[in-house]
Amino acid sequence: MRAALAAAALAVLAGLTSCSSPSSPAGAAASAARGGTAPERLPGLHGAATITRDGAGIAHLRAADEHDLFLLQGWVHAQDRLFQMDVTRRRAAGRLAELLGPGALPGDVQLRTFGLARAAARSLPLLSTRAVAALEAYAEGVNAWAETHPLPPEYAALELTTFEPWTVMDSLLAAKLIAFGLSFDVDDIERTVALATYQQAGAAMGFDGAALFFEDLWRAAPFDPASTVPDALAPSPAIAPATRAAAASAGKLHPRAVALAAEFLGRVKGDAFLRRLTDREERDGSNQWVIAGAHTAGGSPMLASDPHLALGAPSTFYPVHLQAGPFDVIGNSFAGVPSVVVGHNRHLAWGATVDPFDVTDVFQEQVVPDPSSPSGLATVYQGALEPVIPYPEAYRANVIGDAVMNDLVPVPAGNGIPAATLVVPRRNQGPIIQLDPATGVALSVQYTGFSGTRELDAFLGYDVARGIDDFVAAMRHFDVGSQNFCYADDAGNIAYFTHSAVPVREDLQQGFVDGLPPFFIRDGTGGNEWLPVQHPQPLQVVPYEVVPLEELPHAVNPPAGFAINANNDPAGLTLENAPLTKVRPGGGIYYLAPGFDAGFRAGRITRRVKEVLAAGKMTFEQMQSIQADVTLLDAQVLVPYLAAALEHARREGAPAPLAALGADAGVAGAVARLAAWDGSTPTGIPEGWDDADPPGELSAPSAAEVQASVAATIYSTWRGQAIKNVIDSKLGAMPLPPSQQAMTALRNLLDRFDAQQGVGASGIDFFAVPGLDASPADRRDLVLLKSLADALALLSGPDLAPAFGGSTDPDDWRWGKLHRIVFAHPMGGPFSVPPGLGAFPAPLPPLPGIPTDGGFGAVDASSHGARAASANAFMFSSGPSNRLVVELSRGAVKRAESVWPGGASGVPGQWNYLNLLPRWLSNDTVPLFTRAAELGKDTHDVVQFVP
């Protein structure tokens, strides 16, 4: 599919390059002239309206009422992001192949199976009158644009000439897909496969497989203990009896269930979007923090927010300013959905980060024939049969490359294309995702988001909120999406909240775990159910008992004067590596999630904030500096172990293999570089983008940056070799822990070495060296230094030759040659950035991507897999989809600056297509204007509309 799409894309490239340059005199004159022309007629408007674009390309919409405001938002979204919107709605509905061709069918099957279209249909009746009216007006605006303007260039490449009219349901689909991507996970499956494999291998080889999973490798405890609410909940929850012994019941799973789980993982990892739900290496995150006015230089609260989502072309967020009636809000919107979802209005600002609450469970079902069921099948629950409901499916695909326009053909069932989706009503109308007819073993999924939900009402409520009570009231509509919120307002308040409908499991509420915990595949025949709603919370719509808002982590005007969240543990629930040992205030196990982000970013942000406040008051520029931080926290923790290992290796009487490494000039030189390094990660090349560069411009690296760049390369390569030699080498063909868990395991082994001598709770000696008779400490040091020697060999070897040409000179090992990003377009090829159809040529051909600073776990999120060991494995694909810092003051926002990775427009050739990308790459921003006087000084064009 990619080759066909790329070839087709080239056919439209010539047409684009013949257009006026957005920066040319002709283009600028045409743009400026629009402000002086007669108003445009826009049918459907109630009154006059205006779209003003500022110098950054951000659209400021001013209308007489809410209907016209959201009609204009639909208009500008369609103008700038129509193809992106089409991709979003079709992906959510499992109809992407109708746009991109047969290669999208496997992903369509999975999304159709999950049933977001069914969930969106359940949501519509629950929405407020205001939300429904906004959706209807928005659809009017989208279609008004699409009916009167040429389609974006992607359609010509795909041999399509028509746009299916936008509907209210399309916006709900887009909203459901966004929430799905932020909260749905099937990590239960990956954990179950790993635990079952470890236990089986342990039984055969004489180690404790459960301890290997829970205590050694897949630890719930983070790498860094930073927690958003330091004293956890108030009052502190009592400690319940530990429940780790329940892990022994993994053997109760049917062997076929584990095999089905592994097959499912292999299948979904072939789709880029679904891979983000199953592969923790690509999981989204975010940073946010808020500082009280008592601790800021200006005396007003300040908030920083940078949501981390997929970095594609065009960017995930669409910046917009909405002004009509009670709406006067600017910030991030999603193309396809009315409202601003994160930003600020005249009274308050808010940010958001993903909170990995466990709102998805996977069940092992027993399926049997049942002639009375519509599908002929039923599941067994407590000995009774419950019908499985079939939903017939019909797929179509766009045929590309045959020169026939709009050539959509039916795809017959078979060869992986199902004739129907099978749904288990008990699972919140969740689907069967795997079924073995021979044994009747099946896997089903239950997810809170399969219910009807009201995220749009929450967004609209945030947009018009005037204070903390309004904000909390709006937040109660945020049913699914699992978010942390930082908040600041013009009355001087700061706050931190979490919210999502977190289901209460029946066994946990009784104070024990029946079988496997809820973060593994559970028994669907009884004992592990979500409790039906018994104590409905205010405005609750999810039909299950949920953890009340008051029990979720939160802090209002905390004594420390700040709140920080970077997807880390919000309340210290996992710091003891035991997520099931807290008790709810009224009884029952208090459970939110099996673990959180390992704290690399949160730990670094917390250190920076505390350092600044210990020295004085926080400034706006210091907030931005923390947001741009690219120092590796894990390097600051682990490099001292390497330096100590070298010192031990050089002592008299060291074992010969260790002494040889101590005498190795390359190893010694590398350790010296790392010991002198501050942990920062500049690119070290003139083609690389760094925080130290002038705003939106490249500059040559300084000598200090070059040295830090080389150190970053050496350390980042050593990291992967250390994981390989300490952890992976002991596992053979068994599942490997994900990057964050592997790094946490490595730190735990080193930090507790004096007590455990490198032997895990499983009984495995992780620093064993076959054939070496030496002390545990010598074996540890040998493994650490050998990992460094292996890293040096890798850097000068064939796997990294595309970056370094096989050079053995460390000065050639610049970090920017490895750490790169491609902003991927759904069609790939020339539509991706680089080259962006020529708008942003590749800086380092033939290496793909744009070189940037950053790295694994950096605050300025740009993470790659910790095991990276090839020229393209250090690349990243997610990070800040927006950076925002806001300073509040009474009655107004004093200052707000932001930036996005691209431009407002997703249409190649437009002046605001990639205009903000250079500033994003150099970690600089543009001011956000909301007042007419400010906007008048930085206006690019104005378009007036009348009915």
Side-chain angles (χ1 to χ4, degrees), residues 863-936:
S863 229
H864 53 83
R867 294 177 173 87
S870 62
N872 292 334
F874 296 87
M875 295 178 68
F876 65 103
S877 61
S878 66
S881 294
N882 164 245
R883 299 189 188 101
L884 170 70
V885 175
V886 181
E887 182 177 12
L888 281 296
S889 64
R890 184 166 291 278
V893 169
K894 186 179 296 184
R895 182 180 178 187
E897 294 186 6
S898 194
V899 75
W900 292 263
S905 178
V907 182
Q910 295 300 306
W911 72 273
N912 56 343
Y913 168 50
L914 294 178
N915 62 310
L916 297 179
L917 181 57
R919 282 185 172 267
W920 183 90
L921 289 167
S922 64
N923 240 302
D924 294 291
T925 56
V926 295
L928 297 183
F929 302 119
T930 58
R931 297 183 179 276
E934 298 170 332
L935 188 57

Coordinates of all heavy atoms in Angstrom, one line a residue, residues 863-936:
S863 N 11.3 10.0 23.5 CA 11.8 8.7 23.9 C 11.9 7.7 22.8 O 11.0 7.7 21.9 CB 11.0 8.1 25.0 OG 11.7 7.7 26.1
H864 N 12.8 6.8 22.9 CA 13.0 5.7 22.0 C 13.1 4.5 22.8 O 13.1 4.5 24.1 CB 14.3 5.8 21.1 CG 15.5 6.1 22.0 ND1 16.2 5.1 22.6 CD2 16.1 7.2 22.4 CE1 17.2 5.6 23.3 NE2 17.1 6.9 23.2
G865 N 13.1 3.3 22.2 CA 13.2 2.1 23.0 C 14.6 2.0 23.7 O 15.6 2.4 23.2
A866 N 14.5 1.6 25.0 CA 15.8 1.5 25.8 C 16.8 0.5 25.2 O 18.0 0.6 25.5 CB 15.5 1.2 27.2
R867 N 16.3 -0.4 24.5 CA 17.2 -1.5 23.9 C 17.8 -1.1 22.5 O 18.4 -1.9 21.8 CB 16.5 -2.8 23.7 CG 16.1 -3.4 25.1 CD 15.3 -4.7 24.8 NE 15.0 -5.4 26.1 CZ 14.0 -5.2 26.9 NH1 13.1 -4.2 26.6 NH2 13.8 -5.9 28.0
A868 N 17.6 0.2 22.1 CA 18.0 0.6 20.8 C 19.4 0.2 20.4 O 20.3 0.4 21.2 CB 17.8 2.1 20.6
A869 N 19.6 -0.4 19.2 CA 20.9 -0.9 18.9 C 21.2 -0.8 17.4 O 22.0 -1.6 16.9 CB 21.1 -2.3 19.4
S870 N 20.4 0.0 16.6 CA 20.6 0.1 15.2 C 20.4 1.6 14.8 O 19.9 2.4 15.6 CB 19.7 -0.8 14.4 OG 18.3 -0.4 14.6
A871 N 20.8 1.9 13.6 CA 20.8 3.3 13.2 C 19.5 4.0 13.3 O 19.4 5.2 13.6 CB 21.4 3.4 11.8
N872 N 18.4 3.3 13.1 CA 17.1 3.9 13.1 C 16.3 3.6 14.4 O 15.1 4.1 14.6 CB 16.2 3.6 11.9 CG 16.8 4.1 10.6 OD1 17.5 5.2 10.6 ND2 16.5 3.5 9.5
A873 N 16.9 2.8 15.3 CA 16.1 2.4 16.5 C 16.1 3.5 17.6 O 15.3 3.4 18.5 CB 16.8 1.2 17.1
F874 N 16.9 4.5 17.4 CA 16.9 5.6 18.4 C 15.9 6.8 18.0 O 15.9 7.8 18.7 CB 18.3 6.2 18.5 CG 19.3 5.2 19.1 CD1 20.0 4.4 18.3 CD2 19.6 5.2 20.5 CE1 20.9 3.5 18.8 CE2 20.5 4.3 21.0 CZ 21.2 3.5 20.2
M875 N 15.2 6.5 16.9 CA 14.2 7.5 16.5 C 13.0 7.5 17.4 O 12.8 6.6 18.1 CB 13.8 7.3 15.0 CG 14.9 7.4 14.0 SD 14.5 7.0 12.3 CE 13.4 8.4 12.0
F876 N 12.2 8.6 17.4 CA 11.0 8.7 18.2 C 9.9 9.1 17.3 O 10.0 9.7 16.2 CB 11.2 9.6 19.4 CG 11.5 11.1 19.1 CD1 10.4 12.0 19.2 CD2 12.7 11.6 18.6 CE1 10.6 13.4 18.9 CE2 12.9 12.9 18.3 CZ 11.9 13.8 18.5
S877 N 8.7 8.9 17.8 CA 7.5 9.2 17.0 C 6.4 9.9 17.8 O 5.3 10.1 17.3 CB 6.9 7.9 16.4 OG 6.5 7.0 17.5
S878 N 6.6 10.1 19.1 CA 5.6 10.8 19.9 C 6.3 11.8 20.8 O 7.5 11.7 21.1 CB 4.7 9.9 20.8 OG 5.5 9.2 21.8
G879 N 5.6 12.8 21.2 CA 6.2 13.9 22.0 C 5.2 15.0 22.2 O 4.0 14.9 22.0
P880 N 5.7 16.2 22.5 CA 4.8 17.4 22.8 C 4.0 17.8 21.5 O 4.6 18.3 20.6 CB 5.8 18.5 23.2 CG 7.0 17.8 23.6 CD 7.1 16.6 22.8
S881 N 2.7 17.5 21.6 CA 1.9 17.9 20.5 C 1.5 19.4 20.6 O 0.9 20.0 19.7 CB 0.6 17.1 20.5 OG 0.9 15.8 20.2
N882 N 1.9 20.0 21.7 CA 1.7 21.4 22.0 C 2.6 21.7 23.3 O 2.7 20.9 24.2 CB 0.3 21.7 22.2 CG 0.0 23.1 22.9 OD1 -0.4 23.2 24.0 ND2 0.4 24.1 22.2
R883 N 3.2 22.9 23.3 CA 3.8 23.3 24.5 C 3.1 24.7 24.9 O 3.0 25.5 24.1 CB 5.3 23.6 24.3 CG 6.1 22.3 24.0 CD 7.6 22.6 24.0 NE 8.4 21.5 23.5 CZ 8.9 21.4 22.3 NH1 8.7 22.4 21.4 NH2 9.5 20.4 21.9
L884 N 2.7 24.8 26.2 CA 2.0 25.9 26.6 C 2.5 26.3 28.0 O 2.7 25.5 28.9 CB 0.5 25.6 26.7 CG -0.4 26.7 27.4 CD1 -0.5 27.9 26.6 CD2 -1.8 26.1 27.7
V885 N 2.7 27.6 28.2 CA 2.9 28.2 29.5 C 2.0 29.4 29.7 O 2.0 30.2 28.8 CB 4.4 28.6 29.8 CG1 4.5 29.3 31.1 CG2 5.3 27.4 29.7
V886 N 1.3 29.5 30.8 CA 0.3 30.5 31.0 C 0.5 31.2 32.3 O 0.8 30.5 33.3 CB -1.2 30.0 31.0 CG1 -2.2 31.1 31.2 CG2 -1.5 29.3 29.6
E887 N 0.5 32.5 32.4 CA 0.6 33.2 33.7 C -0.7 33.9 33.9 O -1.1 34.7 33.0 CB 1.7 34.2 33.6 CG 1.9 35.0 34.9 CD 3.1 35.9 34.9 OE1 3.7 36.2 33.8 OE2 3.4 36.5 36.0
L888 N -1.4 33.6 34.9 CA -2.7 34.2 35.2 C -2.5 35.5 36.0 O -1.5 35.7 36.6 CB -3.5 33.2 36.1 CG -4.3 32.0 35.4 CD1 -5.3 32.5 34.5 CD2 -3.3 31.1 34.8
S889 N -3.6 36.3 36.0 CA -3.7 37.5 36.9 C -5.1 37.7 37.1 O -6.0 37.2 36.4 CB -2.9 38.7 36.3 OG -3.6 39.1 35.1
R890 N -5.5 38.5 38.1 CA -6.9 38.7 38.5 C -7.6 39.5 37.3 O -7.2 40.5 36.9 CB -7.0 39.5 39.7 CG -8.4 39.7 40.2 CD -8.5 40.2 41.6 NE -8.1 39.2 42.6 CZ -8.9 38.2 43.0 NH1 -10.1 38.1 42.5 NH2 -8.5 37.3 43.8
G891 N -8.6 38.8 36.8 CA -9.4 39.4 35.7 C -8.9 39.2 34.3 O -9.5 39.6 33.4
A892 N -7.7 38.6 34.2 CA -7.2 38.4 32.8 C -6.0 37.5 32.8 O -5.4 37.2 33.9 CB -6.7 39.8 32.2
V893 N -5.6 36.9 31.6 CA -4.4 36.2 31.5 C -3.3 37.2 31.2 O -3.4 38.1 30.3 CB -4.5 35.2 30.3 CG1 -3.1 34.6 30.0 CG2 -5.5 34.1 30.7
K894 N -2.3 37.2 32.0 CA -1.2 38.1 31.9 C -0.3 37.8 30.7 O 0.1 38.7 30.0 CB -0.4 38.2 33.2 CG 0.7 39.2 33.2 CD 1.5 39.2 34.6 CE 0.6 39.5 35.7 NZ 1.3 39.6 37.0
R895 N 0.0 36.5 30.5 CA 0.9 36.1 29.5 C 0.7 34.7 29.1 O 0.5 33.9 30.0 CB 2.4 36.4 29.9 CG 3.4 36.0 28.9 CD 4.8 36.3 29.4 NE 5.9 36.0 28.5 CZ 7.2 36.0 28.8 NH1 7.5 36.3 30.0 NH2 8.1 35.6 27.9
A896 N 0.7 34.4 27.8 CA 0.5 33.0 27.4 C 1.3 32.8 26.1 O 1.2 33.6 25.2 CB -0.9 32.6 27.2
E897 N 2.1 31.7 26.1 CA 2.9 31.4 24.9 C 2.8 29.9 24.6 O 2.7 29.1 25.5 CB 4.4 31.8 25.1 CG 4.6 33.3 25.2 CD 6.1 33.7 25.3 OE1 6.9 32.8 25.1 OE2 6.3 34.9 25.5
S898 N 2.8 29.6 23.3 CA 2.6 28.2 22.9 C 3.3 27.9 21.6 O 3.7 28.8 20.9 CB 1.1 27.9 22.9 OG 0.8 26.6 22.8
V899 N 3.3 26.6 21.2 CA 3.8 26.3 19.9 C 3.3 24.9 19.6 O 2.9 24.1 20.5 CB 5.4 26.3 19.9 CG1 6.0 25.1 20.6 CG2 5.9 26.4 18.5
W900 N 3.2 24.6 18.3 CA 2.8 23.3 17.8 C 3.8 22.7 16.8 O 4.5 23.5 16.1 CB 1.4 23.4 17.1 CG 0.3 23.8 18.1 CD1 -0.6 22.9 18.7 CD2 0.0 25.1 18.6 NE1 -1.4 23.6 19.5 CE2 -1.1 24.9 19.5 CE3 0.5 26.3 18.4 CZ2 -1.7 26.0 20.2 CZ3 0.0 27.4 19.1 CH2 -1.1 27.2 20.0
P901 N 3.8 21.4 16.6 CA 4.8 20.8 15.7 C 4.3 20.8 14.3 O 4.0 19.7 13.7 CB 5.0 19.4 16.3 CG 3.6 19.1 16.9 CD 3.1 20.4 17.5
G902 N 4.3 21.9 13.7 CA 3.8 22.0 12.3 C 3.2 23.4 12.1 O 3.8 24.4 12.4
G903 N 2.0 23.4 11.6 CA 1.2 24.6 11.5 C -0.3 24.3 11.6 O -0.7 23.2 11.7
A904 N -1.1 25.4 11.6 CA -2.5 25.1 11.7 C -3.0 24.4 10.5 O -3.9 23.5 10.6 CB -3.2 26.5 11.8
S905 N -2.5 24.6 9.3 CA -2.9 24.0 8.1 C -2.2 22.6 7.9 O -1.0 22.5 8.1 CB -2.7 24.9 6.9 OG -3.1 24.2 5.7
G906 N -3.0 21.7 7.4 CA -2.4 20.4 7.0 C -2.3 20.3 5.5 O -2.1 19.2 5.0
V907 N -2.5 21.4 4.8 CA -2.6 21.4 3.3 C -1.2 21.9 2.8 O -0.9 23.0 3.0 CB -3.7 22.2 2.8 CG1 -3.7 22.2 1.3 CG2 -5.0 21.8 3.4
P908 N -0.4 21.0 2.2 CA 0.8 21.4 1.6 C 0.7 22.6 0.7 O -0.3 22.6 -0.1 CB 1.4 20.2 0.9 CG 0.7 19.0 1.6 CD -0.7 19.5 2.0
G909 N 1.6 23.5 0.8 CA 1.5 24.7 -0.1 C 0.9 25.9 0.6 O 1.1 27.0 0.1
Q910 N 0.2 25.7 1.7 CA -0.4 26.8 2.4 C 0.7 27.5 3.2 O 1.6 26.9 3.7 CB -1.6 26.4 3.3 CG -2.8 25.9 2.5 CD -3.3 26.9 1.5 OE1 -3.7 28.0 1.9 NE2 -3.5 26.5 0.3
W911 N 0.5 28.8 3.5 CA 1.6 29.6 4.2 C 1.7 29.1 5.6 O 2.8 29.2 6.2 CB 1.2 31.1 4.1 CG 0.1 31.5 5.0 CD1 -1.2 31.5 4.6 CD2 0.1 32.0 6.3 NE1 -2.0 31.9 5.7 CE2 -1.2 32.2 6.7 CE3 1.2 32.2 7.2 CZ2 -1.5 32.7 8.0 CZ3 0.8 32.7 8.5 CH2 -0.5 33.0 8.9
N912 N 0.6 28.6 6.2 CA 0.7 28.1 7.6 C 0.7 26.6 7.7 O 0.2 26.0 8.6 CB -0.4 28.7 8.4 CG -1.8 28.4 7.8 OD1 -1.9 28.0 6.7 ND2 -2.9 28.6 8.6
Y913 N 1.4 26.0 6.7 CA 1.4 24.5 6.7 C 2.5 24.0 7.7 O 2.2 23.2 8.6 CB 1.8 24.1 5.3 CG 2.2 22.6 5.1 CD1 1.4 21.6 5.6 CD2 3.3 22.3 4.4 CE1 1.8 20.2 5.5 CE2 3.7 21.0 4.2 CZ 2.9 19.9 4.7 OH 3.3 18.6 4.6
L914 N 3.7 24.4 7.6 CA 4.8 24.0 8.5 C 5.4 25.2 9.2 O 6.6 25.2 9.6 CB 5.8 23.2 7.8 CG 5.4 21.8 7.3 CD1 6.5 21.2 6.5 CD2 4.9 20.9 8.4
N915 N 4.7 26.4 9.2 CA 5.4 27.6 9.6 C 5.9 27.6 11.1 O 6.8 28.3 11.5 CB 4.5 28.8 9.4 CG 3.2 28.7 10.3 OD1 2.5 27.7 10.2 ND2 2.8 29.8 11.0
L916 N 5.2 26.8 12.0 CA 5.6 26.7 13.4 C 6.6 25.6 13.7 O 7.1 25.6 14.8 CB 4.4 26.6 14.2 CG 3.4 27.7 14.2 CD1 2.2 27.4 15.1 CD2 4.0 29.0 14.6
L917 N 6.9 24.7 12.7 CA 7.7 23.6 13.0 C 9.1 24.0 13.4 O 9.7 23.4 14.4 CB 7.8 22.7 11.8 CG 8.7 21.4 12.0 CD1 8.2 20.6 13.2 CD2 8.6 20.5 10.7
P918 N 9.8 25.0 12.8 CA 11.1 25.4 13.2 C 11.2 25.8 14.7 O 12.1 25.5 15.4 CB 11.5 26.5 12.3 CG 10.8 26.2 11.0 CD 9.5 25.6 11.5
R919 N 10.1 26.6 15.1 CA 10.1 27.1 16.5 C 9.8 25.9 17.4 O 10.4 25.9 18.6 CB 9.0 28.1 16.7 CG 9.5 29.5 16.2 CD 8.4 30.6 16.5 NE 9.0 31.9 16.2 CZ 9.6 32.7 17.0 NH1 9.8 32.3 18.3 NH2 10.1 33.8 16.7
W920 N 9.0 24.9 17.0 CA 8.8 23.7 17.9 C 10.2 23.0 18.0 O 10.5 22.5 19.1 CB 7.8 22.9 17.2 CG 7.4 21.6 18.1 CD1 6.4 21.5 19.0 CD2 8.0 20.3 18.0 NE1 6.4 20.3 19.5 CE2 7.4 19.5 18.9 CE3 9.1 19.8 17.2 CZ2 7.7 18.2 19.1 CZ3 9.4 18.5 17.4 CH2 8.7 17.7 18.3
L921 N 10.9 22.8 16.9 CA 12.1 22.1 17.0 C 13.2 22.8 17.8 O 14.0 22.1 18.5 CB 12.7 21.9 15.5 CG 11.9 20.9 14.7 CD1 12.3 21.1 13.2 CD2 12.1 19.5 15.1
S922 N 13.2 24.1 17.9 CA 14.2 24.8 18.7 C 13.6 25.1 20.1 O 14.3 25.9 20.9 CB 14.7 26.1 18.0 OG 13.6 27.0 17.9
N923 N 12.5 24.6 20.4 CA 11.8 24.8 21.7 C 11.5 26.2 22.0 O 11.8 26.7 23.1 CB 12.7 24.2 22.8 CG 11.9 23.1 23.6 OD1 10.9 23.4 24.1 ND2 12.5 21.9 23.6
D924 N 11.0 26.9 21.0 CA 10.6 28.3 21.2 C 9.1 28.4 20.9 O 8.5 27.4 20.5 CB 11.4 29.2 20.2 CG 12.8 29.3 20.6 OD1 13.1 29.9 21.7 OD2 13.7 28.7 19.9
T925 N 8.5 29.5 21.2 CA 7.0 29.7 21.2 C 6.6 30.9 20.5 O 7.4 31.7 20.0 CB 6.5 29.7 22.6 OG1 7.2 30.8 23.3 CG2 6.8 28.4 23.4
V926 N 5.3 31.0 20.3 CA 4.7 32.3 19.8 C 3.7 32.7 20.9 O 3.1 31.9 21.6 CB 3.9 32.0 18.5 CG1 5.0 31.6 17.4 CG2 2.9 31.0 18.6
P927 N 3.4 34.1 21.0 CA 2.4 34.6 21.9 C 1.0 34.2 21.5 O 0.7 34.1 20.3 CB 2.7 36.1 21.9 CG 3.3 36.4 20.6 CD 4.1 35.1 20.2
L928 N 0.2 34.0 22.5 CA -1.3 33.8 22.2 C -2.0 35.0 22.5 O -2.0 35.6 23.6 CB -1.8 32.6 23.1 CG -1.1 31.2 22.9 CD1 -1.8 30.2 23.8 CD2 -1.2 30.8 21.4
F929 N -2.8 35.5 21.5 CA -3.5 36.7 21.6 C -5.0 36.4 21.8 O -5.5 35.6 21.1 CB -3.3 37.6 20.4 CG -1.9 38.0 20.1 CD1 -1.3 37.6 18.9 CD2 -1.1 38.7 21.1 CE1 0.0 37.9 18.7 CE2 0.2 39.0 20.8 CZ 0.8 38.6 19.6
T930 N -5.6 37.1 22.7 CA -7.1 37.0 22.9 C -7.8 38.4 22.8 O -9.0 38.4 22.6 CB -7.5 36.3 24.2 OG1 -6.9 37.0 25.3 CG2 -7.0 34.9 24.2
R931 N -7.1 39.4 22.9 CA -7.7 40.8 22.9 C -7.5 41.4 21.5 O -6.5 41.2 20.9 CB -7.1 41.7 24.0 CG -7.3 41.1 25.4 CD -6.7 42.1 26.5 NE -7.0 41.6 27.8 CZ -8.1 41.8 28.5 NH1 -9.1 42.5 27.9 NH2 -8.3 41.3 29.7
A932 N -8.5 42.1 21.1 CA -8.5 42.7 19.8 C -7.3 43.6 19.6 O -6.7 43.7 18.5 CB -9.8 43.5 19.5
A933 N -6.9 44.4 20.6 CA -5.8 45.3 20.5 C -4.5 44.6 20.2 O -3.7 45.0 19.4 CB -5.7 46.2 21.8
E934 N -4.3 43.4 20.9 CA -3.1 42.6 20.7 C -3.1 42.0 19.3 O -2.1 42.0 18.6 CB -3.0 41.5 21.8 CG -2.9 42.0 23.2 CD -3.1 40.9 24.2 OE1 -3.8 39.9 23.9 OE2 -2.5 41.0 25.3
L935 N -4.3 41.5 19.0 CA -4.4 40.8 17.7 C -4.2 41.7 16.5 O -3.6 41.4 15.5 CB -5.7 40.1 17.6 CG -6.0 39.2 16.4 CD1 -5.0 38.1 16.4 CD2 -7.4 38.6 16.5
G936 N -4.7 43.0 16.7 CA -4.5 44.0 15.7 C -3.1 44.3 15.3 O -2.8 44.7 14.1

